[in-house]
Amino acid sequence: MSQDHVAPKRRLRLGMVGGGRSGNIGRSHRHAALLDGRWELVAGALSADPERARISAADWLIPADRGYSSYQTMAADEAAREDGIDAVTICTPNDSHHAIARAFIDRGINIICDKPLTTTMADALDLVHATREAGVIFAVTHTYSGYPMVRMARDLVKAGELGEIRSVAVEYVSQYQCELRRGYDWQNDPARAGPLGSVAGIGTHAHHLAAFITGLTLTELSADLASLLPGHLLDDHATMHLRYSNGARGYLWCTTVAPGNENGLRIRVSGSTGSLAWAQEHPNHIILARLNEQPRILSRGGFVSTPSSTAATRIPSGHPEGYLEAFANLYTEIADAILAKQAGHPGPDTGYLFPSVEDGARGVRFMFAALESSQNASRFVDATPGALGKDL
Amino acid sequence: MSQDHVAPKRRLRLGMVGGGRSGNIGRSHRHAALLDGRWELVAGALSADPERARISAADWLIPADRGYSSYQTMAADEAAREDGIDAVTICTPNDSHHAIARAFIDRGINIICDKPLTTTMADALDLVHATREAGVIFAVTHTYSGYPMVRMARDLVKAGELGEIRSVAVEYVSQYQCELRRGYDWQNDPARAGPLGSVAGIGTHAHHLAAFITGLTLTELSADLASLLPGHLLDDHATMHLRYSNGARGYLWCTTVAPGNENGLRIRVSGSTGSLAWAQEHPNHIILARLNEQPRILSRGGFVSTPSSTAATRIPSGHPEGYLEAFANLYTEIADAILAKQAGHPGPDTGYLFPSVEDGARGVRFMFAALESSQNASRFVDATPGALGKDL
Amino acid sequence: MSQDHVAPKRRLRLGMVGGGRSGNIGRSHRHAALLDGRWELVAGALSADPERARISAADWLIPADRGYSSYQTMAADEAAREDGIDAVTICTPNDSHHAIARAFIDRGINIICDKPLTTTMADALDLVHATREAGVIFAVTHTYSGYPMVRMARDLVKAGELGEIRSVAVEYVSQYQCELRRGYDWQNDPARAGPLGSVAGIGTHAHHLAAFITGLTLTELSADLASLLPGHLLDDHATMHLRYSNGARGYLWCTTVAPGNENGLRIRVSGSTGSLAWAQEHPNHIILARLNEQPRILSRGGFVSTPSSTAATRIPSGHPEGYLEAFANLYTEIADAILAKQAGHPGPDTGYLFPSVEDGARGVRFMFAALESSQNASRFVDATPGALGKDL
Amino acid sequence: MSQDHVAPKRRLRLGMVGGGRSGNIGRSHRHAALLDGRWELVAGALSADPERARISAADWLIPADRGYSSYQTMAADEAAREDGIDAVTICTPNDSHHAIARAFIDRGINIICDKPLTTTMADALDLVHATREAGVIFAVTHTYSGYPMVRMARDLVKAGELGEIRSVAVEYVSQYQCELRRGYDWQNDPARAGPLGSVAGIGTHAHHLAAFITGLTLTELSADLASLLPGHLLDDHATMHLRYSNGARGYLWCTTVAPGNENGLRIRVSGSTGSLAWAQEHPNHIILARLNEQPRILSRGGFVSTPSSTAATRIPSGHPEGYLEAFANLYTEIADAILAKQAGHPGPDTGYLFPSVEDGARGVRFMFAALESSQNASRFVDATPGALGKDL
């Protein structure tokens, strides 16, 4: 982590919108922000329910006067404080991301936002443009890209270890919607979640992971979406054929109704001279196979290292790091980016690996391409992000 | 195995066409036939090269007068002998299966044939009809269906352990065509292999495995076929969306150009109340997960058993069985079926699990459905075997 | 974690002795302390080298006036401050633990100390007695006992899931001393490390893990210690027969010279009605097998839970937690214990699971029993901690 | 397999004593003998119960006149036949091995005998001497040494891939005596099984495996034997410290009372420049780690090969071979040795890897060394086979 090499000047101040309900998401953000000692959580509009917001703030030792009951007030008040927040984390249902983000962007506050970025393409593009105009940092939490071995995978591909990439197989298999459950109601409500279900909830993670590791441009896709659980209003199962600009092919499979699968995000990439495989549930290892050689088990912190994987590693090999460490890698990079911006350094595009608002918009583009294909007998449709506008 | 319960009257006599070259396939057939002591290999037209045919026959202690240099002579001579072969194994390139099979069917000799059954749909249907007319036993060696745990998987699905099936994920990932290689030339020659490459070579195994375990009828598929290795004339990579008659969805992925993958046939089936997973490279186990329970590791010969898995098992749990044992299960069942037929018992349709000529024809139908979809922007096409004719 | 249910009143103040050098140990302590937001690191005597101490303190945003160059000054100054530290972490070479701990105990400051507790039995007993007299909290960082699944294992044994325990197999296999390395010199220096090498460095972890999970009393052991790497002055390989008070048997194997092994701490416990297995490198799972049933894969946060494993879990199943989360569980429990003590609650013996100074002393007792046996042709020797004095 | 390179002249004729009861052992021997087409089973005294002997013989198509009711008759009659058996397999309870083996040795018939060789040291030495005098081939079925990857492990050690061997960890963990069971009664009867239980039944396999792979001479051992299951009269749990002539150390653990463990024979060998690990339940792979490199997964038939592993392999990588194939490798080598002897070639000591009568005697020596140590507070005792006499 860079913080050991260049000492940070101060801890950054973080606010949070949403996350205070008994849910796991806010809690994960908080642990991730705290782990490296780079952030302190000082403000929050943690719940739409004022009492829950108050209790949640107290739990986390947030001063009472900074436990807000509305994000609008929070944005205004924090922007006005001398010691206002450096960034806000948005972990609310999908349909609210856009309005909340705009409230903070418009006051020059940096953003850390859950995925999917938005529930419409127009909203996504609006956030891209607003971010660029305001000059803020906007990160989207495709957390899995923070794993050291995912970064090693990216480095290995970049270094040509696999040769020309030919095949990408990515899947995200889970059981979290095997039954209609209380507490996740909004995820089955098109008004809150948007028109896509599993593709928005987990498919976008798979899509980002493949893009992050391979660096390839997805040009076309064919998708077959289905709602397999009776009562589901949105897709809970999707398969996709993928075609990349270099001629590579692939598939993406995501589902939320597969009993026995906890959080099965896995990727395999094959090229002309090698292949690699990584699985989120065993994140400290990659299997790397070179053509005509037996596979090797690479480990985080082991004898094979790459710059970005080493930078993302805290403890020696054999001591597992997990999801929160991956998440913390994003938070620490975001802190670096904000400090650099505050110090007048070039800007956010100088080598940071955390997912940007543009990555978020590409995810939304992917969602709608899948929907279009599925509604047209799964024929291939254009999925080029470039269709979104310049630089996308 | 039934042979321990009802003593067989005699060993059956086996002939082989092809398989004598240094190739692995004939050797596998021979080990599989010998393992249970139910067959003796007594005749062969083992190679188109007479000298190689002679040496191969001698290696295997086949009498010199039954080491033939042409399958036509072999069919005629063996049919004329009092002690002629009970069945012939055909392990030659795809395009020759039809003619060879017809030569033996027409003389009333039972058939054991490699897959894909044929390289045209018309040839496949012709073999179905000829088999029915001649009343012979015709088995197609989708060997993987002989594994005890594959049979257990089928039994578990049948017994409703997974509830209503919702999702089928089957893949066959291999590295065997990462380079253009001598010795497998015919597999890259449309004139010998037919119009499909990886889909014919391994995709049909995946297709049969899914059908065998789930018992579902595949009604539609969308396929994207590609030749990724420069110089390949046939597909070496294919992805497919699968739709079943009960509303279940799935995907099939097969490729022969993924470095580091030896023989990666894997299947995962999910239903409303459970899921299971099996992988050919670790064939002695199934992971079975019931809804809202932690997964269990079932093992061959272990505390969970089903009739057909137990019948297909030779040795105690913890002592691995492998590919040849699975293959031998087919050979032993075929022997049972032939003896039953010779004894005037009802016929081959009495519960035997070995793949039939109809299964082989369904595989050919699958191949051509995939080709049609891929040639039409991957739109879904009808894949119902019923389109082939009655009983298919 | 309890902190979500009963809101803590304040963050506790932590000091650190050692840990500032480029070493990993101090860094792990810091991340573990920060993760749950229960501690702030405010003081340190981070290195014997003043410049390195200063830089390390700055890196971690420790105020300049609390970056001490000697632990004695630190103990005195912090004890005198109104806002002095609530606890000190000691992560220095083994031989210094005793003196440093005494300096803080004697000023009423709570202790978090690396293992092995001391390098002599007398020092260990002295710390036990001093701790009791001063009434401080003294935790020894057998970090592995903080893993949720280790706690689940303990709960399962306690609940009788395995029946009467019969066999304990624990091993700690590593490669970290395959070569004589700079930077770890003190670990090969009997003057700093004490008379035991691998047994002190990792064997004590294995010993504690077995005791923690099984709750059994080790009564006798037979050990064979060896220095296998030329140049090693201390043991780098040890095997032990273990005998427990209930008649159970077991073995312990530890080594630091096994290439390819990163941090291979593994335990298997068998009883009359079941068995379980856990491995530190895959810490989110336990394999649990009941007599005459197929094994089940239990996962952290999954459908099988126990009170202490659930309390030690932060994020949903399928999202791996790792070493730092386990370590953080100790830090958070220690914070709970300190706050309870400060609030006048009964004391440290009310259900906390973090290893105590008595556990540390039992580890030292174990080390010297192993040494005695090994020096006597591996004959069994008494290993009863009770021999140390009352309550041990 | 050599049979593909040098065509055998004829199938060898095999007889069997024991094995006909519903037991698994005889059946395994039969499959192993048949797999490669090198043997035919033509005679047997398959059960002490004449009716069971008759039925068993019929099941296996043994001619009625060669289904004997006593081994003495069988030895006499077969020795007198022109077409008498080339070898006899002995798969009866331990205490009968010696007398049966002598009956056949004395008539010049080659022997294939289950382990442990005998239940007394004197009997073991007697068989060694009788075998040498008679000049017969005598193989002991330590089957696990027939696995291709075990042979690769041996070759890798021999080739110096691991450097100087320092540590050997071998274990055999099973559940087969978790309950007192009918059908295995003799295994708990000192009069039939001899004075050792788990050490004789599975410990000798572990001992042979370690010796086979490492080539090291075991000089001393310390053992702790226990009968943990109430009602067991013989040991069902044993731990041992191992010391080798080159200074290497190790441990051996075996138990038959560990629920959830099917047939857990595993070995790990570490040396100065590398390590390897192999597990019987996943026999097609070795994990090989070189010093300061990440581990590699070697596979049977893969890109890393050694002469003896390749010779022991039938089918391509990725197509699992199992226990019966390992067993068949012994049978085929024994056939080669017998044919060579019949052809007047030098004798049995020309590179064959199947375990010899001397290996069997070393196993008996190991058993009694373990017993002696355990009866003497686990002090180290001499385990040098050389103490047995010349060439041992």
Side-chain angles (χ1 to χ4, degrees):
Chain A
M1 310 306 306
S2 56
Q3 77 273 25
D4 279 348
H5 305 298
V6 180
K9 291 290 177 295
R10 63 176 183 94
R11 281 190 186 81
L12 295 183
R13 291 177 295 272
L14 183 66
M16 192 179 291
V17 178
R21 289 179 295 175
S22 60
N24 292 303
I25 292 176
R27 190 174 177 185
S28 293
H29 277 277
R30 179 172 169 260
H31 289 300
L34 294 177
L35 182 68
D36 286 337
R38 299 292 302 278
W39 294 87
E40 46 189 339
L41 180 59
V42 299
L46 299 176
S47 175
D49 170 346
E51 176 61 8
R52 192 180 282 279
R54 198 190 57 74
I55 293 173
S56 297
D59 276 353
W60 290 354
L61 299 172
I62 292 175
D65 65 322
R66 297 176 87 174
Y68 301 95
S69 56
S70 91
Y71 72 84
Q72 293 92 339
T73 314
M74 178 174 161
D77 287 12
E78 289 293 324
R81 290 179 76 111
E82 189 75 16
D83 65 347
I85 55 175
D86 293 291
V88 65
T89 287
I90 301 170
C91 40
T92 57
N94 304 347
D95 66 317
S96 62
H97 293 174
H98 175 260
I100 300 171
R102 280 303 305 254
F104 287 88
I105 292 171
D106 292 350
R107 286 178 166 90
I109 294 174
N110 302 298
I111 308 286
I112 299 163
C113 184
D114 269 0
K115 49 67 0 217
L117 181 61
T118 58
T119 54
T120 72
M121 198 65 242
D123 280 353
L125 292 175
D126 182 67
L127 290 183
V128 170
H129 298 311
T131 297
R132 292 178 178 181
E133 275 170 43
V136 299
I137 306 287
F138 193 124
V140 178
T141 51
H142 286 302
T143 310
Y144 306 106
S145 63
Y147 276 113
M149 296 311 272
V150 167
R151 296 183 168 197
M152 184 183 288
R154 175 187 165 97
D155 289 344
L156 292 171
V157 169
K158 260 196 164 160
E161 282 280 337
L162 310 194
E164 182 71 19
I165 301 304
R166 288 182 179 151
S167 171
V168 178
V170 63
E171 65 181 42
Y172 202 140
V173 189
S174 134
Q175 64 191 350
Y176 77 89
Q177 293 183 324
C178 280
E179 297 175 300
L180 296 172
R181 289 186 301 162
R182 278 176 52 82
Y184 287 88
D185 300 340
W186 72 261
Q187 295 194 9
N188 190 32
D189 176 359
R192 312 291 311 276
L196 288 123
S198 64
V199 172
I202 57 178
T204 52
H205 275 314
H207 168 259
H208 181 263
L209 185 70
F212 182 81
I213 289 177
T214 67
L216 294 178
T217 300
L218 180 67
T219 50
E220 284 183 288
L221 65 79
S222 152
D224 187 29
L225 276 53
S227 299
L228 298 177
L229 181 71
H232 265 177
L233 304 177
L234 296 168
D235 59 277
D236 53 25
H237 190 278
T239 59
M240 305 192 199
H241 309 312
L242 308 176
R243 289 183 176 173
Y244 293 96
S245 62
N246 75 334
R249 302 292 174 104
Y251 80 86
L252 184 152
W253 176 40
C254 65
T255 182
T256 58
V257 294
N261 293 277
E262 294 181 336
N263 197 36
L265 175 62
R266 281 178 283 269
I267 187 164
R268 287 171 284 176
V269 182
S270 296
S272 55
T273 62
S275 73
L276 63 79
W278 178 82
Q280 191 272 152
E281 297 192 3
H282 298 284
N284 292 280
H285 296 94
I286 282 176
I287 305 295
L288 175 69
R290 291 196 185 122
L291 188 66
N292 299 336
E293 293 185 11
Q294 292 301 120
R296 289 179 294 159
I297 306 166
L298 307 190
S299 56
R300 186 192 48 73
F303 298 112
V304 172
S305 66
T306 66
S308 72
S309 66
T310 302
T313 297
R314 286 164 191 79
I315 48 177
S317 67
H319 298 73
E321 288 193 333
Y323 177 84
L324 293 174
E325 287 83 349
F327 210 162
N329 286 334
L330 300 193
Y331 266 95
T332 292
E333 280 191 312
I334 295 166
D336 286 342
I338 291 174
L339 284 171
K341 191 190 63 160
Q342 291 176 347
H345 289 192
D349 295 320
T350 49
Y352 299 113
L353 295 175
F354 61 82
S356 65
V357 70
E358 287 85 359
D359 290 316
R362 286 180 199 113
V364 177
R365 167 72 173 135
F366 158 78
M367 284 158 45
F368 285 97
L371 187 62
E372 180 190 342
S373 173
S374 190
Q375 290 171 340
N376 286 277
S378 299
R379 67 171 174 73
F380 268 100
V381 300
D382 187 346
T384 316
L388 300 177
K390 195 160 157 309
D391 298 337
L392 280 174
Chain B
M1 310 305 307
S2 55
Q3 77 274 24
D4 278 348
H5 305 298
V6 181
K9 293 289 177 296
R10 62 176 183 95
R11 281 191 187 79
L12 295 183
R13 292 178 293 273
L14 183 66
M16 193 179 290
V17 178
R21 290 178 297 175
S22 60
N24 292 302
I25 292 176
R27 189 173 177 187
S28 293
H29 277 277
R30 178 173 169 260
H31 289 300
L34 294 177
L35 181 68
D36 286 336
R38 300 292 302 278
W39 294 88
E40 45 190 339
L41 180 58
V42 298
L46 300 176
S47 175
D49 170 345
E51 176 60 7
R52 194 180 280 279
R54 198 191 57 74
I55 293 173
S56 298
D59 275 354
W60 291 353
L61 300 172
I62 292 174
D65 65 322
R66 297 175 86 175
Y68 301 95
S69 55
S70 91
Y71 72 84
Q72 294 93 339
T73 314
M74 177 174 162
D77 287 11
E78 289 293 324
R81 290 179 77 111
E82 189 77 14
D83 65 347
I85 55 175
D86 293 290
V88 66
T89 287
I90 302 170
C91 41
T92 56
N94 304 347
D95 66 317
S96 60
H97 292 173
H98 176 261
I100 298 171
R102 279 304 304 256
F104 287 87
I105 292 171
D106 293 350
R107 286 178 167 88
I109 295 173
N110 302 297
I111 309 287
I112 298 163
C113 184
D114 269 359
K115 48 69 353 219
L117 180 62
T118 59
T119 55
T120 73
M121 198 65 242
D123 279 354
L125 292 175
D126 182 66
L127 290 184
V128 170
H129 298 311
T131 297
R132 292 177 178 183
E133 276 170 42
V136 298
I137 306 286
F138 193 124
V140 178
T141 52
H142 287 302
T143 309
Y144 305 107
S145 62
Y147 276 113
M149 297 310 273
V150 167
R151 296 183 168 198
M152 185 183 287
R154 174 187 166 95
D155 289 344
L156 293 171
V157 169
K158 260 196 165 161
E161 283 280 337
L162 310 194
E164 182 70 20
I165 300 305
R166 288 183 178 150
S167 171
V168 178
V170 62
E171 64 180 45
Y172 201 139
V173 190
S174 134
Q175 64 190 350
Y176 77 89
Q177 292 182 324
C178 279
E179 298 175 300
L180 296 171
R181 288 187 299 164
R182 276 177 52 82
Y184 287 87
D185 299 340
W186 71 261
Q187 296 195 6
N188 190 31
D189 177 359
R192 312 291 311 274
L196 289 123
S198 64
V199 172
I202 57 178
T204 52
H205 276 312
H207 168 259
H208 181 262
L209 185 69
F212 182 81
I213 289 178
T214 67
L216 294 178
T217 300
L218 180 67
T219 50
E220 286 184 287
L221 65 78
S222 153
D224 187 30
L225 274 54
S227 299
L228 299 177
L229 181 73
H232 266 178
L233 304 177
L234 296 168
D235 59 277
D236 52 25
H237 190 278
T239 59
M240 304 193 199
H241 309 311
L242 308 177
R243 290 183 177 173
Y244 292 96
S245 62
N246 75 335
R249 303 292 175 103
Y251 79 86
L252 184 153
W253 175 40
C254 66
T255 182
T256 57
V257 294
N261 294 277
E262 294 181 336
N263 198 36
L265 175 61
R266 279 178 285 268
I267 188 165
R268 288 170 285 175
V269 181
S270 297
S272 54
T273 62
S275 73
L276 63 79
W278 179 81
Q280 191 272 152
E281 296 192 3
H282 298 284
N284 291 280
H285 296 93
I286 282 176
I287 306 294
L288 175 70
R290 290 196 185 123
L291 187 66
N292 298 335
E293 292 186 13
Q294 292 301 121
R296 289 179 295 158
I297 307 167
L298 306 190
S299 56
R300 187 190 49 71
F303 298 111
V304 173
S305 67
T306 66
S308 72
S309 66
T310 301
T313 297
R314 287 165 190 77
I315 47 178
S317 67
H319 298 73
E321 288 193 334
Y323 176 83
L324 292 174
E325 287 83 349
F327 211 162
N329 286 335
L330 300 193
Y331 266 95
T332 292
E333 280 192 312
I334 296 166
D336 285 343
I338 292 174
L339 284 173
K341 192 190 64 162
Q342 292 176 346
H345 289 192
D349 295 320
T350 48
Y352 298 113
L353 295 175
F354 61 81
S356 66
V357 70
E358 287 85 359
D359 289 317
R362 286 181 198 111
V364 177
R365 166 73 173 134
F366 159 80
M367 285 159 43
F368 284 97
L371 187 61
E372 181 190 343
S373 173
S374 190
Q375 290 171 342
N376 285 276
S378 297
R379 68 171 172 74
F380 267 100
V381 300
D382 186 347
T384 317
L388 299 176
K390 197 161 156 308
D391 298 336
L392 280 172
Chain C
M1 309 306 308
S2 55
Q3 77 273 23
D4 278 347
H5 306 298
V6 182
K9 292 290 177 296
R10 62 176 183 94
R11 282 191 185 80
L12 296 183
R13 292 178 293 272
L14 183 66
M16 193 180 289
V17 177
R21 290 177 298 175
S22 60
N24 292 303
I25 292 175
R27 189 174 177 187
S28 293
H29 277 277
R30 178 172 169 260
H31 289 300
L34 294 177
L35 181 68
D36 286 336
R38 299 293 303 277
W39 295 88
E40 45 189 341
L41 181 58
V42 298
L46 300 175
S47 176
D49 170 344
E51 177 60 7
R52 193 180 280 279
R54 198 191 57 75
I55 293 172
S56 298
D59 275 352
W60 290 354
L61 299 172
I62 292 174
D65 65 321
R66 297 175 86 173
Y68 301 96
S69 55
S70 91
Y71 74 84
Q72 294 93 340
T73 314
M74 177 175 162
D77 287 11
E78 289 292 326
R81 290 179 77 112
E82 188 75 15
D83 65 347
I85 55 175
D86 293 291
V88 66
T89 287
I90 301 170
C91 41
T92 57
N94 304 347
D95 66 317
S96 61
H97 292 174
H98 175 261
I100 298 171
R102 280 304 305 256
F104 287 88
I105 291 171
D106 292 349
R107 285 177 167 90
I109 294 173
N110 302 297
I111 309 288
I112 299 163
C113 184
D114 269 0
K115 48 72 349 222
L117 181 61
T118 58
T119 55
T120 72
M121 199 64 242
D123 281 354
L125 292 175
D126 182 66
L127 290 183
V128 170
H129 297 311
T131 297
R132 293 177 177 181
E133 276 170 40
V136 299
I137 306 286
F138 193 123
V140 178
T141 52
H142 287 302
T143 309
Y144 306 107
S145 62
Y147 275 113
M149 296 311 272
V150 167
R151 295 182 170 200
M152 185 183 286
R154 174 187 166 96
D155 289 345
L156 292 171
V157 169
K158 260 196 164 161
E161 283 279 338
L162 310 194
E164 181 71 20
I165 300 304
R166 288 182 178 151
S167 171
V168 178
V170 62
E171 64 181 43
Y172 201 139
V173 189
S174 134
Q175 65 191 348
Y176 77 88
Q177 292 182 325
C178 280
E179 297 174 301
L180 296 172
R181 288 187 301 163
R182 276 178 51 83
Y184 287 88
D185 299 340
W186 71 261
Q187 295 195 8
N188 190 31
D189 176 359
R192 311 291 310 276
L196 289 123
S198 64
V199 172
I202 56 177
T204 53
H205 276 312
H207 168 258
H208 180 263
L209 185 69
F212 182 81
I213 289 178
T214 67
L216 295 178
T217 300
L218 181 67
T219 49
E220 286 183 286
L221 66 77
S222 152
D224 188 29
L225 276 53
S227 298
L228 298 177
L229 181 72
H232 265 178
L233 304 178
L234 296 168
D235 59 278
D236 51 26
H237 190 279
T239 58
M240 305 193 200
H241 309 311
L242 308 177
R243 289 182 176 175
Y244 292 96
S245 62
N246 75 334
R249 303 292 174 102
Y251 80 86
L252 184 153
W253 176 40
C254 66
T255 181
T256 58
V257 295
N261 293 277
E262 294 181 336
N263 198 36
L265 175 61
R266 279 177 286 267
I267 188 165
R268 287 170 285 175
V269 181
S270 297
S272 54
T273 63
S275 73
L276 63 80
W278 178 82
Q280 192 273 152
E281 296 192 4
H282 298 284
N284 291 280
H285 296 93
I286 282 177
I287 306 294
L288 175 69
R290 291 196 185 122
L291 187 66
N292 298 336
E293 292 185 13
Q294 291 301 118
R296 289 179 294 159
I297 307 167
L298 307 189
S299 57
R300 187 192 48 72
F303 298 112
V304 172
S305 67
T306 66
S308 71
S309 66
T310 301
T313 297
R314 286 164 191 78
I315 48 177
S317 66
H319 299 73
E321 288 193 335
Y323 177 83
L324 292 175
E325 286 84 350
F327 210 162
N329 286 334
L330 300 193
Y331 265 94
T332 292
E333 280 192 313
I334 295 165
D336 285 341
I338 291 174
L339 284 172
K341 192 190 63 162
Q342 292 177 347
H345 287 193
D349 295 320
T350 49
Y352 299 113
L353 295 176
F354 62 80
S356 65
V357 70
E358 287 84 359
D359 289 317
R362 287 181 198 111
V364 177
R365 166 73 173 134
F366 158 79
M367 284 158 44
F368 284 98
L371 188 61
E372 181 190 341
S373 173
S374 189
Q375 290 170 342
N376 285 277
S378 298
R379 69 172 171 73
F380 268 100
V381 299
D382 187 347
T384 317
L388 299 177
K390 198 161 155 308
D391 299 336
L392 280 173
Chain D
M1 309 308 309
S2 55
Q3 77 274 24
D4 278 350
H5 306 298
V6 180
K9 291 290 177 296
R10 63 176 182 95
R11 282 191 185 81
L12 295 184
R13 292 177 296 271
L14 182 66
M16 192 179 291
V17 177
R21 289 178 297 174
S22 60
N24 292 303
I25 293 176
R27 190 174 176 185
S28 294
H29 276 277
R30 179 173 169 260
H31 289 300
L34 293 177
L35 181 68
D36 286 338
R38 300 293 303 276
W39 294 87
E40 47 189 338
L41 180 58
V42 299
L46 299 177
S47 175
D49 170 345
E51 176 59 8
R52 193 180 282 279
R54 197 190 57 74
I55 293 172
S56 298
D59 276 354
W60 292 353
L61 299 173
I62 292 175
D65 65 321
R66 296 176 87 174
Y68 301 94
S69 54
S70 90
Y71 72 83
Q72 293 93 339
T73 314
M74 177 175 162
D77 287 10
E78 290 293 325
R81 291 178 76 111
E82 189 76 14
D83 64 347
I85 56 175
D86 293 291
V88 66
T89 287
I90 302 170
C91 41
T92 56
N94 304 348
D95 65 316
S96 61
H97 293 174
H98 175 261
I100 299 171
R102 280 303 306 255
F104 287 88
I105 293 171
D106 292 350
R107 285 176 168 90
I109 294 174
N110 302 296
I111 309 286
I112 299 163
C113 184
D114 270 0
K115 49 72 349 223
L117 181 60
T118 58
T119 54
T120 72
M121 198 64 242
D123 280 353
L125 292 176
D126 181 67
L127 290 183
V128 170
H129 297 311
T131 297
R132 292 178 177 181
E133 275 170 42
V136 298
I137 307 287
F138 193 123
V140 177
T141 51
H142 286 301
T143 310
Y144 306 106
S145 62
Y147 275 113
M149 297 310 273
V150 167
R151 295 184 169 198
M152 184 183 289
R154 175 187 165 97
D155 288 345
L156 292 171
V157 169
K158 260 197 164 160
E161 283 280 337
L162 310 193
E164 181 71 19
I165 300 304
R166 288 182 178 151
S167 171
V168 178
V170 64
E171 65 182 42
Y172 201 140
V173 189
S174 134
Q175 65 190 350
Y176 77 88
Q177 293 182 323
C178 280
E179 297 174 301
L180 296 172
R181 290 187 300 163
R182 277 175 52 82
Y184 287 88
D185 300 339
W186 72 260
Q187 295 194 9
N188 189 31
D189 176 359
R192 312 291 310 276
L196 289 122
S198 64
V199 172
I202 57 177
T204 52
H205 276 313
H207 168 258
H208 181 262
L209 185 70
F212 182 81
I213 289 178
T214 67
L216 294 178
T217 301
L218 180 67
T219 49
E220 284 183 288
L221 65 79
S222 152
D224 188 28
L225 275 53
S227 299
L228 298 178
L229 180 72
H232 265 178
L233 304 177
L234 296 169
D235 58 277
D236 52 25
H237 190 278
T239 59
M240 305 193 199
H241 309 312
L242 308 177
R243 290 183 176 172
Y244 292 96
S245 61
N246 75 333
R249 303 292 174 104
Y251 80 86
L252 184 153
W253 176 40
C254 66
T255 182
T256 58
V257 294
N261 293 276
E262 294 181 336
N263 198 35
L265 175 60
R266 281 179 283 268
I267 187 164
R268 287 171 285 176
V269 181
S270 297
S272 54
T273 63
S275 73
L276 64 79
W278 179 81
Q280 192 271 152
E281 296 192 3
H282 298 284
N284 291 281
H285 296 94
I286 282 176
I287 305 295
L288 175 70
R290 290 197 184 121
L291 187 67
N292 298 336
E293 293 186 10
Q294 292 301 119
R296 288 179 295 159
I297 306 167
L298 307 189
S299 56
R300 186 191 49 72
F303 298 112
V304 172
S305 67
T306 67
S308 72
S309 66
T310 301
T313 297
R314 286 164 191 79
I315 47 177
S317 67
H319 298 72
E321 288 192 335
Y323 177 84
L324 292 175
E325 287 83 350
F327 210 163
N329 286 334
L330 300 193
Y331 265 95
T332 292
E333 281 192 313
I334 295 166
D336 285 343
I338 291 173
L339 285 172
K341 191 189 64 161
Q342 292 176 347
H345 288 193
D349 295 319
T350 48
Y352 299 113
L353 295 176
F354 62 81
S356 65
V357 70
E358 287 84 0
D359 289 317
R362 286 181 199 111
V364 177
R365 167 71 174 137
F366 158 79
M367 285 158 45
F368 285 97
L371 187 62
E372 180 190 342
S373 173
S374 190
Q375 290 170 341
N376 287 277
S378 298
R379 68 172 173 72
F380 268 100
V381 300
D382 187 347
T384 317
L388 300 177
K390 196 159 158 309
D391 298 336
L392 280 173

